[in-house]
Amino acid sequence: MTTSPAPWNRAERLDPTRITAAVHAATGVRYVVEGPCPGGEVGAAYVRRDDGHRSVLTWRPGIAPAEMQAGPLAVTEALRETGYPAPATELAVQLGDDVAVVQELLPGSKIDLLTPELLEQVLALRARHVGALEGRATIPGRPLYLLSSGPGYCLHEPPLAHSTRTAALVRRVRAIGEEYGDELPGTDAVHGDFHPGNILQADGLVTGVVDWDGASRGDAGLDLVNLRFGVHPQKDVDPAVVHRIDALLDGLTPSVLRPAWAHLSLRMADWAIRHFPEAELTGWLELAESRLSG
C-alpha cells in the first residue's frame, strides 16, 4: 500500500536569467539567454555573447570550480584529446556555493528515438570510454550512493517512505552496496548520465555527447546500464535495441552489473517519486526489479 505523499523537495532547476546576470557580475562577460535546451530535469540553456558566439549554459550546485576541474572537466578534456565529440569548456565561474559552466555548442539535436543504426554508433562511442583515464589517478571516482543518500539525487528517504514496494527496493540496493561496495573502480571515463537525451545526432549520424557534469573515473559498465534505463521510456523503440543492450549487460561481471543496476534503480525510483506521476514510477520499478532479484 502506498503511503500518503510526503512533501519531498524537487530538484532545483536552472534559472538562466539569474545565472547569466551573476556570471556578468563576476566576470564582465555578458550573455543573452536564447531559451532552454530540450530535455533534462535540471536544465541547460542556449546563450549568446555580444559578439554573436553561441554556447550552452549549465549549472552545478554545491561544488567548487577546482572540484569541477579535477573531476568532470578533466574527464571531458581527456576524451577530447582523442577526438571524442565532447564539448569544450569555455567558462567556469564560482557563484556562491555553485558553479556556472559555459560550454561549446555542438551540432545536432538529442536522440528522441534510439534506432538500431544509432545504437551501434552510441556503443562505439561508449567503447572509447574504456581505459580512457589510464594514468590519470587524480581524477576521482564517484560513490553510487547505495548505502546513503546522494547530493540531491539517489535519495533513500523518499522510496523508504513511499510504499512497501519502494522500501523493499531500497533494502535490496543497500544489501548490494554492502556486498559489492559503493564505488566502481577502474580507469574508464564514466559519463554518469549516458542516455539518448544527452547524445546528439544529425541526419542519422551521432555528433556529440553532452551533460558531463557527473563524469568521473570508474567502470564504463555504469554507462551501459544507464543507456538501458535511458531507452526504457521510449515506447516505440525497436525491440532489437533493447535486446542488443541487454545482451551486452549479460556479459558484465556481477561485481559491475549488480551495483550499477542498483544505482540506476535507486536513482530512478527516487526521482520518479519526487517528479513523476505514480504510473511512471510503476514502470521504473518493474525495470529495476527485473535484475535486482537473486
Side-chain angles (χ1 to χ4, degrees):
M1 179 180 296
T2 301
T3 62
S4 299
W8 304 112
N9 290 333
R10 297 168 66 91
E12 187 177 356
R13 291 188 60 84
L14 170 73
D15 181 344
T17 300
R18 179 179 67 84
I19 296 299
T20 52
V23 168
H24 179 247
T27 69
V29 180
R30 188 186 305 277
Y31 290 96
V32 175
V33 178
E34 293 186 337
C37 299
E41 296 296 332
V42 176
Y46 298 116
V47 294
R48 185 182 71 253
R49 287 196 314 240
D50 289 342
D51 63 4
H53 179 77
R54 300 180 70 229
S55 306
V56 172
L57 171 71
T58 64
W59 165 73
R60 178 87 181 270
I63 192 171
E67 188 178 351
M68 281 287 289
Q69 188 61 58
L73 301 186
V75 173
T76 57
E77 286 309 306
L79 287 170
R80 282 176 49 78
E81 289 173 7
T82 71
Y84 188 103
T89 299
E90 299 174 354
L91 190 67
V93 185
Q94 181 83 54
L95 302 176
D97 295 329
D98 310 327
V99 172
V101 179
V102 180
Q103 292 187 318
E104 174 188 10
L105 175 61
L106 296 179
S109 57
K110 69 182 181 71
I111 296 176
D112 291 319
L113 182 65
L114 188 62
T115 64
E117 296 75 19
L118 285 171
L119 173 62
E120 293 309 314
Q121 297 176 58
V122 169
L123 292 175
L125 277 182
R126 193 209 65 102
R128 294 172 63 178
H129 297 187
V130 177
L133 302 183
E134 186 75 43
R136 298 176 186 259
T138 56
I139 297 177
R142 188 183 64 173
L144 299 176
Y145 307 112
L146 306 183
L147 302 175
S148 59
S149 290
Y153 67 99
C154 284
L155 304 185
H156 288 221
E157 293 79 12
L160 279 172
H162 183 77
S163 70
T164 55
R165 185 179 185 182
T166 55
L169 182 144
V170 174
R171 290 193 295 271
R172 188 65 193 134
V173 164
R174 289 178 173 177
I176 291 171
E178 293 286 354
E179 182 177 0
Y180 293 102
D182 200 34
E183 188 172 312
L184 289 175
T187 60
D188 302 343
V190 179
H191 181 280
D193 203 13
F194 194 71
H195 63 78
N198 284 331
I199 303 171
L200 306 179
Q201 67 85 30
D203 300 322
L205 296 176
V206 171
T207 57
V209 181
V210 298
D211 194 8
W212 292 83
D213 286 356
S216 63
R217 181 173 52 84
D219 193 297
L222 180 63
D223 285 339
L224 190 59
V225 172
N226 207 150
L227 184 63
R228 176 63 181 88
F229 275 71
V231 301
H232 175 69
Q234 298 186 350
K235 302 305 181 186
D236 296 328
V237 68
D238 188 327
V241 168
V242 175
H243 295 158
R244 175 84 165 99
I245 300 172
D246 280 340
L248 293 172
L249 292 177
D250 291 340
L252 296 178
T253 63
S255 62
V256 172
L257 176 59
R258 292 184 65 72
W261 194 271
H263 169 76
L264 266 298
S265 298
L266 174 64
R267 187 199 300 186
M268 291 313 305
D270 162 53
W271 200 265
I273 288 168
R274 291 189 291 140
H275 298 85
F276 299 157
E278 185 72 21
E280 291 189 39
L281 170 63
T282 300
W284 288 114
L285 294 176
E286 290 172 352
L287 176 62
E289 292 162 354
S290 69
R291 287 185 182 263
L292 280 183
S293 60

